[in-house]
Amino acid sequence: MKVFNGIRYAVAKRLQMPVMEPDIESIEKVECKEIICPQSPSKLEHITGPILSGQEQGEDCLRLAIHTPSLDGKRPVLVFIHGGAFVAGSGLLPIYDASDLAETLDAVVVNISYRLGAFGFLCMIDKGVINLGIEDQKCALRWIQRNIAKFGGDPEDITVTGQSGGAYCIGYIATTTQEPLFKRANLMSAPFGSVISYAKGEEMTQKYLSILGKDIHKATIQEILDAQNELIRQSPKRPPFGPVGDNDLRSKCVMPSLKRVFLSCSIDDALPLTTNALPILAPLFSYFIFKRPAQKFGQRLAKQDINATFMTFNWRHKEGPYGTAHCIGLPLLFSSWEKAKDVPMLFGTTEREFNEHSHRARSLMKRFMNDQL
């Protein structure tokens, strides 16, 4: 297994569009540096455990990680786009180490990082600042198509997968561009019930800039994060950052290369997200934010002759305090028992249970990538 963690795929000045890096001439010249987008600790650490472990943070963060069984051959490619409420996470984090996954799938697995929060999702349409985090992801997908053959991957056989905000981004890209960036999409717990209109996006941006109180181009990274955290504190009901558009994923402009979509949600998706609400409301939130919108999204795709499948993940281990929680599929897909046994949302899980459901998650992914679902 060969791992390249931190390859730069593009560069971008603050609040400007990404510019793709030149194609790789040779693997021997590949430089890797693990830099993640500036961020504060995740609000879901009470279920995932700490995800940051001293990684360098900076604006030179348009980087990706490639895990390949071999530089030879022409393997299918799986691209992972992380979640984190559009303010946290990175494809370079240890929790997303895809070495075991790549070996199990016999595929090249690529994890994308992109700009988050105020760096990636401010909305100033008159200045051309809109959905920069999405533009980063599209740029990364183009870079992968142009370079993945050098890492043993097939640029014509790309599947994308994402969880939570990452899944939402994939759905957004799939319904707003005609550019053939991938063939299949696996969307886990996408919050399709949360849509930010252009008007709301600009309103959020003005509120953010007011909190910041200075020219954002002259602000330090810490000042930008402090203002971001204050905006989140003032917006407790929904994440203030994210892709904006009046599309709300109903557009008939579906990527023509997209052939198959697999959607899933966890039966208790909203439970860890409702710490300030009555737990009895969690099933309703799970249904209206995750399950029903995902089902409708799949139904709309099916009407356009795209093979769309939906599944509810309902494994509840006996002692787990968060049930089938949001994010629970990630350690099953990426991790091993030794690495995952202390994750809070898996408390009470036995090694046998974990291995059984991890095997199932990876088997489903492999079948989907082979067009067997």
Side-chain angles (χ1 to χ4, degrees):
M1 181 61 57
K2 295 184 180 295
V3 179
F4 302 84
N5 200 33
I7 300 175
R8 184 194 287 122
Y9 66 84
V11 295
K13 294 181 179 179
R14 185 177 292 180
L15 298 189
Q16 292 189 18
M17 290 282 285
V19 178
M20 189 188 304
E21 284 284 277
D23 291 350
I24 290 175
E25 295 181 1
S26 69
I27 296 299
E28 289 73 20
K29 295 182 179 180
V30 171
E31 294 182 356
C32 296
K33 192 170 184 180
E34 299 177 26
I35 303 175
I36 69 173
C37 185
Q39 58 193 270
S40 300
S42 169
K43 298 297 184 182
L44 289 182
E45 286 195 349
H46 62 290
I47 65 167
T48 63
I51 65 171
L52 301 178
S53 54
Q55 288 82 10
E56 180 180 349
Q57 299 189 19
E59 294 183 68
D60 183 16
C61 59
L62 301 188
R63 297 173 180 269
L64 45 76
I66 298 177
H67 309 76
T68 179
S70 172
L71 299 178
D72 300 320
K74 201 174 183 181
R75 291 172 172 78
V77 179
L78 178 66
V79 178
F80 173 68
I81 302 181
H82 71 84
F86 310 108
V87 295
S90 168
L92 309 185
L93 296 175
I95 60 170
Y96 299 134
D97 181 350
S99 300
D100 291 345
L101 179 61
E103 184 174 358
T104 300
L105 300 178
D106 192 26
V108 180
V109 180
V110 186
N111 296 348
I112 289 176
S113 291
Y114 52 96
R115 282 174 288 179
L116 304 167
F119 297 98
F121 291 103
L122 290 184
C123 180
M124 295 180 281
I125 297 175
D126 60 327
K127 297 182 179 179
V129 177
I130 181 172
N131 293 335
L132 293 177
I134 291 287
E135 296 300 329
D136 296 343
Q137 294 169 29
K138 290 162 64 175
C139 186
L141 289 165
R142 296 183 194 110
W143 186 96
I144 291 166
Q145 286 183 331
R146 294 170 63 102
N147 291 276
I148 203 62
K150 297 182 178 69
F151 297 88
D154 183 353
E156 297 182 359
D157 190 8
I158 294 178
T159 300
V160 292
T161 185
Q163 190 270 342
S164 193
Y168 185 98
C169 289
I170 293 170
Y172 188 98
I173 292 171
T175 55
T176 56
T177 181
Q178 292 284 286
E179 191 176 356
L181 297 173
F182 46 81
K183 290 176 62 176
R184 308 174 199 86
N186 174 55
L187 311 181
M188 300 178 285
S189 298
F192 287 146
S194 301
V195 178
I196 302 176
S197 67
Y198 291 116
K200 285 291 184 182
E202 291 196 299
E203 179 184 326
M204 174 275 296
T205 295
Q206 291 307 311
K207 187 174 182 180
Y208 172 81
L209 294 175
S210 176
I211 293 171
L212 181 63
K214 66 187 304 183
D215 183 345
I216 191 170
H217 294 285
K218 297 179 180 179
T220 66
I221 287 177
Q222 191 58 53
E223 288 173 334
I224 289 173
L225 287 179
D226 288 344
Q228 180 173 298
N229 292 335
E230 177 59 22
L231 178 63
I232 292 172
R233 190 191 68 79
Q234 294 181 18
S235 308
K237 293 184 178 181
R238 61 186 303 166
F241 296 101
V244 300
D246 293 325
N247 165 279
D248 82 348
L249 307 183
R250 295 182 183 179
S251 171
K252 294 182 179 179
C253 174
V254 177
M255 187 184 298
S257 61
L258 182 63
K259 303 303 179 186
R260 306 177 74 88
V261 174
F262 187 76
L263 301 115
S264 63
C265 68
S266 297
I267 196 169
D268 299 312
D269 254 321
L271 187 57
L273 309 175
T274 53
T275 53
N276 295 323
L278 293 174
I280 195 173
L281 298 178
L284 288 175
F285 291 158
S286 295
Y287 181 81
F288 286 108
I289 295 176
F290 296 99
K291 183 175 182 177
R292 187 59 186 144
Q295 290 175 325
K296 288 183 176 180
F297 182 62
Q299 290 165 0
R300 288 193 289 270
L301 292 178
K303 289 179 180 179
Q304 299 181 58
D305 297 323
I306 294 174
N307 186 308
T309 304
F310 178 82
M311 181 191 78
T312 301
F313 186 43
N314 58 6
W315 166 52
R316 286 190 174 110
H317 45 289
K318 295 180 181 179
E319 299 181 45
Y322 299 107
T324 311
H326 195 67
C327 300
I328 199 169
L330 294 174
L332 297 176
L333 195 62
F334 284 99
S335 201
S336 65
W337 171 247
E338 284 303 313
K339 296 177 182 178
K341 62 184 179 181
D342 295 324
V343 172
M345 63 183 161
L346 293 173
F347 175 79
T349 308
T350 66
E351 182 175 1
R352 180 178 177 180
E353 282 181 304
F354 178 88
N355 289 336
E356 175 186 342
H357 287 281
S358 177
H359 174 74
R360 184 186 179 205
R362 294 181 180 186
S363 295
L364 283 171
M365 182 66 77
K366 188 166 187 175
R367 289 172 57 198
F368 178 65
M369 293 175 66
N370 290 330
D371 296 325
Q372 296 173 349
L373 281 180

